[in-house]
Amino acid sequence: MNDREVSELEAQEARLVLPRFTYEDAWTLGTLLVGMAREREAPVAIDIRRGPQQLFHCALPGSSADNDAWIDRKRRVVERYGVSSFLVGARFRARGTTFEESSRLDPDRYAAHGGAFPLAVGGAGVIGSVTVSGLPQAEDHAMVVEALERLIGGSPVAAGSPSPAAS
């Protein structure tokens, strides 16, 4: 990764900010990701959290408990740094090192590999994460980004419709 690629990932995150994120939005995002994964026959596990609460989880055929462990490790990176796990890893690589070599964090608990993305809400900041595990890291990341783009572009969350659960 180079500085241009890091800048592109940062711009992606700046663009993918939600007006709010409710329980219903978590269901919509999760089922969207499941539909995309099924369509592609992707052997993934999917996890969505708001704070410490798991709002959605699904393991599709071909995934395993290892994917759940990867989800936890990648999610912890988002929680610690407030940006995607892919961006964190890219920043280390752009500096000529790796996350594992230079972060001083336990690699059994943290993984700066693509697939975990912050759920950012305008005016509130990062309130949770969405994670996909089971594909090569760039593909895990791309699937999450595509789902967030679809969610923001075509769902009630983008239109600001009222919802009983506040973000």
Side-chain angles (χ1 to χ4, degrees), residues 139-164:
E139 293 176 38
D140 281 346
H141 178 83
M143 183 178 281
V144 171
V145 167
E146 181 181 342
L148 285 169
E149 287 171 340
R150 287 186 190 183
L151 180 71
I152 291 170
S155 78
V157 77
S161 63
S163 175

Side-chain angles (χ1 to χ4, degrees), residues 7-19:
S7 294
E8 288 172 9
L9 291 171
E10 290 170 342
Q12 194 176 63
E13 292 191 22
R15 186 178 79 247
L16 295 173
V17 175
L18 302 159

Side-chain angles (χ1 to χ4, degrees), residues 5-18 77-78 81-91 113-122 125-126 128 130 141 144-145 148-149 152:
E5 291 166 320
V6 168
S7 294
E8 288 172 9
L9 291 171
E10 290 170 342
Q12 194 176 63
E13 292 191 22
R15 186 178 79 247
L16 295 173
V17 175
L18 302 159
V77 169
V78 171
Y81 291 88
V83 297
S84 74
S85 54
F86 199 44
L87 175 55
V88 171
R91 285 176 173 165
H113 292 255
F117 201 92
L119 290 171
V121 172
V126 176
V130 53
H141 178 83
V144 171
V145 167
L148 285 169
E149 287 171 340
I152 291 170

Side-chain angles (χ1 to χ4, degrees), residues 66-86:
D66 285 342
N67 296 113
D68 293 330
W70 275 99
I71 282 171
D72 288 341
R73 292 169 60 216
K74 294 190 281 187
R75 174 184 46 80
R76 284 185 192 107
V77 169
V78 171
E79 290 169 352
R80 185 170 186 107
Y81 291 88
V83 297
S84 74
S85 54
F86 199 44

Side-chain angles (χ1 to χ4, degrees), residues 8-31:
E8 288 172 9
L9 291 171
E10 290 170 342
Q12 194 176 63
E13 292 191 22
R15 186 178 79 247
L16 295 173
V17 175
L18 302 159
R20 69 173 197 288
F21 195 74
T22 66
Y23 292 98
E24 186 64 31
D25 297 326
W27 176 257
T28 300
L29 178 58
T31 56

Side-chain angles (χ1 to χ4, degrees), residues 103-122:
S103 72
R104 304 179 80 188
L105 296 172
D106 182 353
D108 289 335
R109 295 190 42 81
Y110 296 88
H113 292 255
F117 201 92
L119 290 171
V121 172

